[in-house]
C-alpha cells in the first residue's frame, strides 16, 4: 500500500489545535498539492495565506478552531471551522497529505470538526470545494451533506466547477 500510514496506524494520529507555527506548512502544502493535482496557480496559495492570516488575527475562541493532524513529528492534514453567520459554521482548509488518503483520517477529522461546530452552537455547516475533488464529495455525501450549488468558473488559473455543500447539525 505504499509508504504512507496504514489505517491501523491512524490511532497514533492526534488532532492538535492549529497555531501560528503551523501557518507556513499549511500555506505551502495547500499551494504545492493544489498546483500538482489541480494545476492551480499562485493565486490559490495567496488565498490560503489570507484565510490563515485572518484566522490568526480574528479567531473567535469557542466558535472557531483549526486542527492539524499529527503523527509523531509529521503533519498529515488540516481542517478548520469558522463562523459564516451566527447559525452557520463554515468548513475550511481541509487538506490531507496524499500518503494519509484512504486511511479513515479524513472521516475522523470531519467528525471532529462537526462535533466542535455542534458544541459551539451552530445549527448547520457549509463548505465550498471543487467538483474535481471527487473523494471529498463522496466523504461529504456519506456524512449527510447535500450539494446545494454548482457553478462553472475560472479560478486559480483553471476552469473549475465550484460546489457548495451543506447540512444541518
Amino acid at each position: 500500500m505504499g509508504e504512507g500510514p496504514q489505517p491501523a496506524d491512524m490511532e497514533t494520529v492526534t488532532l492538535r489545535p492549529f497555531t501560528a507555527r503551523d501557518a507556513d506548512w499549511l500555506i505551502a502544502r495547500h499551494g504545492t498539492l493544489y498546483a500538482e493535482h489541480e494545476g492551480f496557480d499562485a493565486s490559490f496559495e495567496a488565498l490560503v495565506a489570507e484565510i490563515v492570516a485572518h484566522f490568526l488575527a480574528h479567531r473567535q475562541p469557542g466558535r472557531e478552531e483549526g486542527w492539524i493532524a499529527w503523527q509523531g513529528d509529521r503533519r498529515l492534514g488540516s481542517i478548520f471551522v469558522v463562523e459564516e453567520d451566527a447559525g452557520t459554521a463554515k468548513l475550511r482548509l481541509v487538506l490531507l497529505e496524499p500518503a494519509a488518503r484512504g486511511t479513515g483520517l479524513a472521516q475522523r477529522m470531519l467528525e471532529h470538526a462537526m462535533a466542535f461546530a455542534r458544541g459551539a452552537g451552530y445549527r448547520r455547516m457549509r463548505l465550498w470545494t471543487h467538483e474535481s475533488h471527487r473523494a471529498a464529495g463522496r466523504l461529504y455525501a456519506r456524512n449527510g451533506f447535500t450539494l446545494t450549488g454548482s457553478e462553472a468558473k475560472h479560478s486559480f488559473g483553471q476552469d473549475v466547477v465550484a460546489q457548495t455543500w451543506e447540512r444541518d447539525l
Side-chain angles (χ1 to χ4, degrees), residues 30-120:
H30 269 84
T32 298
L33 292 174
Y34 279 82
E36 288 175 1
H37 298 275
E38 303 289 330
F40 285 6
D41 63 21
S43 66
F44 180 73
E45 189 170 338
L47 173 63
V48 173
E50 287 177 27
I51 293 167
V52 169
H54 185 271
F55 179 84
L56 288 169
H58 303 287
R59 176 180 164 259
Q60 300 174 60
R63 292 280 290 169
E64 299 180 313
E65 190 62 81
W67 299 271
I68 303 294
W70 286 84
Q71 187 172 47
D73 62 355
R74 184 174 163 205
R75 293 174 181 98
L76 296 177
S78 66
I79 195 164
F80 282 63
V81 171
V82 298
E83 182 179 285
E84 182 167 303
D85 61 45
T88 308
K90 188 173 190 179
L91 197 64
R92 296 203 95 173
L93 301 175
V94 178
L95 181 78
L96 204 58
E97 287 287 347
R101 294 176 186 162
T103 64
L105 180 57
Q107 178 67 41
R108 181 176 159 200
M109 292 186 336
L110 181 59
E111 288 171 0
H112 189 81
M114 289 192 307
F116 172 84
R118 278 187 210 99

Side-chain angles (χ1 to χ4, degrees), residues 2-32:
E3 59 187 79
Q6 304 303 307
D9 297 336
M10 286 299 103
E11 61 196 42
T12 66
V13 173
T14 57
L15 298 179
R16 298 182 201 161
F18 171 82
T19 69
R21 290 184 302 278
D22 298 310
D24 288 345
W25 171 84
L26 184 65
I27 295 163
R29 290 310 287 158
H30 269 84
T32 298

